[in-house]
Amino acid sequence: MLKLPLIVGAFIMSTILSPVVAIDVNIPGADAKIPKDSYINYQATNQAIERDVTNYVETLKSTDKANGISRNELAYAKEASIYRGEHYHNTVISVHNRYSQIRLSFPVAGIKSEYNIGRYKDPDRTIEDYRVITDNGSLNLEIDYADYKDQDWRNTKIAYEKLTDKDVRKFLQDKAKKSPEKHISDIKATVFSYPTVTYSTWDSMKMPYLKTGQKTTMTVDTINFKYMGFAIRYPLYHAGIAYFDNKPVLNKVPTDNLLANYVLPSMKNLNELNEYSRIENLNGIQYRVPKDAIFDGESKDEYQDIRYYKKGTITFFISTINPAKNPYAGNPIINGHYNFNRELRSFWDMYRYHPTPDYINYSVVWNNNIPGLSIHSYEPYRDNHILNFESYDGTYHFIYIIFYPKFLSADEVQKLRNMIEFFDSTNNPEFKLQQHVVFPENR
């Protein structure tokens, strides 16, 4: 397998989503050589990752040979692709409710989720904490609904326009003194500017941590911001990465580099979806189609409902399946968690008959803490490309597939991707609050 550079996704997807312009932001780790839309491509890699994938395949081949099993190269390409999808997918955290409409992505794979909500009295505030656990830390989005006044920064009586790096560090140091048991140290912080956000700061700090009974160091790097134009009574967001033993979550790639070049430009206000799509409902599940998409019929049986839409040469298939009533489903639940490994394999079996495994991108999208698997697949010499999204709300397995022509512009493809990955359900409200494991049979 070829050794690929960090921004391999930008290369792989260049025929669809050509990178344009480098990010310009004054955060540590910002790299002007990385295009500002690299986050779109849902892949980041390096030599260590490629060695891991290669070693996995070589071990699999050796085991097969020892057991007298013969498989062709396409079968091993499938196994490599599925391994990459499980261990090196992109992670999207998407929160959409009455007060928040935000989506952001990390080029790091997550294993399971944690969701917490807390209410505090001084000041009167509510914190929602969405966390996706990785092999060596977590990807975090904290939504702070505190009633901060527009003219100051985090109740410090310092106007944001007058805020300095020193002020931010002092604020964090004062907070650290109130929690001496954590021994927070090595505090770094800066104020930064970016076109789509305001009240924006970056910070990094280290603290001792007990991990499976062993003492280690946890580093937390965070960017804090509000959306441009939103002030009083709108939330302050804290998006960051925590990792242990000074080992970043993406194989030696500095975390501040990921925050500056991937996470920050990926932040989108989901209200943008209303400009070009509408919400439809099927069996309690909410999904989006283009505003001008035409309903093209439906079919149903005792366990599945299917809807069809069209927009020009683009076709949309939406389906809900009740696994409990489906005689062909087997058991998709392992240890109480839906197993998305089944969907990785099903997608390959249905569409990956042409041996070009590099032309496929994986992402796990956490809609209000409910995981879903997103796959973008295309053949360089075929007319149609495929977007596929699947999720599960505790009752229904949801499948959404879009076939679109290869000549579609990068902007239109991105709109389709943002739209297909929006998912919500009014079924089983408590399901959102649970911990979810994405590929439970491998953990």
Side-chain angles (χ1 to χ4, degrees), residues 48 93 135 147 154 163 174 181 190 211 214 217 219 247 276 280 329 340 370 393 403 440:
I93 298 179
D135 282 326
D147 188 10
R154 303 186 75 170
L163 193 68
D174 290 344
E181 71 280 1
T190 187
K211 182 184 178 186
Q214 300 294 318
T217 299
T219 303
K247 297 176 182 177
Y276 53 84
E280 300 272 292
F340 284 95
I370 296 179
D393 70 351
F403 293 96

Side-chain angles (χ1 to χ4, degrees), residues 20 31 83 128 141 162 196 205 215 233 235 287 296 309 344 347 355 377 390 393 402-404 410 412:
V20 292
D31 186 347
Y83 182 83
E128 273 190 281
L141 174 63
K162 297 180 180 180
T196 57
M205 58 188 77
K215 290 184 178 179
R233 297 191 183 280
Y287 60 93
D296 199 35
Y309 298 82
L344 285 173
F347 186 88
S377 176
E390 306 192 28
D393 70 351
I402 300 175
F403 293 96
Y404 69 91
E412 290 302 311

Side-chain angles (χ1 to χ4, degrees), residues 86 89-95 104-106 108-116 129-142 240-244 249 363-372 435-439:
E86 290 182 350
H89 59 259
N90 189 74
T91 296
V92 174
I93 298 179
S94 179
V95 179
L104 52 88
S105 67
F106 301 82
V108 180
I111 301 168
K112 60 184 178 182
S113 70
E114 289 184 356
Y115 169 74
N116 295 286
D129 187 12
Y130 295 86
R131 184 171 302 172
V132 178
I133 308 302
T134 73
D135 282 326
N136 187 49
S138 62
L139 314 172
N140 312 314
L141 174 63
E142 188 179 272
I241 301 174
Y243 57 93
F244 301 107
V249 293
S363 182
V364 173
V365 184
W366 300 83
N367 280 283
N368 296 336
N369 199 47
I370 296 179
Q435 179 192 82
H436 299 281
V437 179
V438 186
F439 304 110

Side-chain angles (χ1 to χ4, degrees), residues 107-387:
V108 180
I111 301 168
K112 60 184 178 182
S113 70
E114 289 184 356
Y115 169 74
N116 295 286
I117 186 167
R119 293 180 173 85
Y120 306 87
K121 291 185 176 179
D122 190 19
D124 184 18
R125 59 198 289 218
T126 298
I127 300 288
E128 273 190 281
D129 187 12
Y130 295 86
R131 184 171 302 172
V132 178
I133 308 302
T134 73
D135 282 326
N136 187 49
S138 62
L139 314 172
N140 312 314
L141 174 63
E142 188 179 272
I143 305 175
D144 191 341
Y145 295 100
D147 188 10
Y148 295 126
K149 295 181 180 179
D150 191 28
Q151 66 267 26
D152 64 30
W153 179 79
R154 303 186 75 170
N155 289 343
T156 58
K157 303 191 186 312
I158 301 174
Y160 177 77
E161 292 75 17
K162 297 180 180 180
L163 193 68
T164 66
D165 297 353
K166 183 178 179 180
D167 293 328
V168 180
R169 285 194 296 272
K170 183 178 184 304
F171 172 82
L172 296 170
Q173 288 164 352
D174 290 344
K175 286 185 66 176
K177 290 176 183 177
K178 295 178 182 178
S179 304
E181 71 280 1
K182 292 185 178 179
H183 301 292
I184 298 172
S185 62
D186 195 20
I187 296 176
K188 302 173 185 176
T190 187
V191 179
F192 73 90
S193 57
Y194 193 69
T196 57
V197 298
T198 186
Y199 278 61
S200 41
T201 62
W202 168 90
D203 59 72
S204 175
M205 58 188 77
K206 296 182 182 294
M207 61 193 77
Y209 194 86
L210 278 177
K211 182 184 178 186
T212 61
Q214 300 294 318
K215 290 184 178 179
T216 183
T217 299
M218 180 171 70
T219 303
V220 183
D221 291 352
T222 311
I223 46 180
N224 317 278
F225 63 96
K226 286 190 175 187
Y227 277 128
M228 182 65 72
F230 292 157
I232 192 167
R233 297 191 183 280
Y234 281 86
L236 180 68
Y237 295 99
H238 311 278
I241 301 174
Y243 57 93
F244 301 107
D245 301 316
N246 300 315
K247 297 176 182 177
V249 293
L250 186 65
N251 294 34
K252 300 180 182 179
V253 178
T255 299
D256 55 11
N257 181 288
L258 298 183
L259 286 175
N261 298 286
Y262 291 90
V263 180
L264 178 62
S266 77
M267 294 173 183
K268 301 296 179 184
N269 185 335
L270 285 175
N271 285 322
E272 295 176 3
L273 288 170
N274 296 326
E275 298 173 7
Y276 53 84
S277 67
R278 66 181 191 262
I279 292 178
E280 300 272 292
N281 293 272
L282 178 61
N283 292 329
I285 289 176
Q286 294 183 342
Y287 60 93
R288 285 182 176 270
V289 295
K291 279 186 174 180
D292 52 352
I294 300 171
F295 180 69
D296 199 35
E298 61 184 338
S299 60
K300 61 173 56 183
D301 57 31
E302 64 273 17
Y303 64 87
Q304 184 174 21
D305 291 81
I306 305 175
R307 287 182 179 173
Y308 310 91
Y309 298 82
K310 292 192 72 174
K311 177 186 175 182
T313 56
I314 307 172
T315 55
F316 306 80
F317 300 87
I318 291 89
S319 171
T320 59
I321 301 173
N322 189 329
K325 297 180 179 179
N326 181 2
Y328 310 105
N331 183 16
I333 309 299
I334 295 180
N335 298 325
H337 302 287
Y338 191 89
N339 181 24
F340 284 95
N341 178 279
R342 293 164 53 94
E343 318 317 327
L344 285 173
R345 294 187 175 277
S346 296
F347 186 88
W348 251 87
D349 291 340
M350 291 176 66
Y351 300 115
R352 302 308 298 172
Y353 49 84
H354 193 276
T356 53
D358 285 338
Y359 293 90
I360 184 168
N361 288 273
Y362 300 109
S363 182
V364 173
V365 184
W366 300 83
N367 280 283
N368 296 336
N369 199 47
I370 296 179
L373 178 66
S374 176
I375 304 175
H376 188 185
S377 176
Y378 70 98
E379 310 288 356
Y381 307 112
R382 295 183 67 84
D383 292 334
N384 281 324
H385 298 160
I386 306 168
L387 286 165

Side-chain angles (χ1 to χ4, degrees), residues 18-69:
S18 300
V20 292
V21 190
I23 188 171
D24 181 16
V25 61
N26 54 320
I27 300 179
D31 186 347
K33 292 179 289 187
I34 298 179
K36 70 176 182 179
D37 59 359
S38 291
Y39 75 92
I40 291 174
N41 300 306
Y42 288 177
Q43 277 189 335
T45 190
N46 56 32
Q47 292 182 3
I49 290 173
E50 296 309 312
R51 280 196 300 270
D52 182 47
V53 176
T54 299
N55 290 341
Y56 170 76
V57 174
E58 292 304 317
T59 300
L60 191 60
K61 288 181 177 180
S62 297
T63 302
D64 285 348
K65 184 177 180 180
N67 293 327
I69 299 173

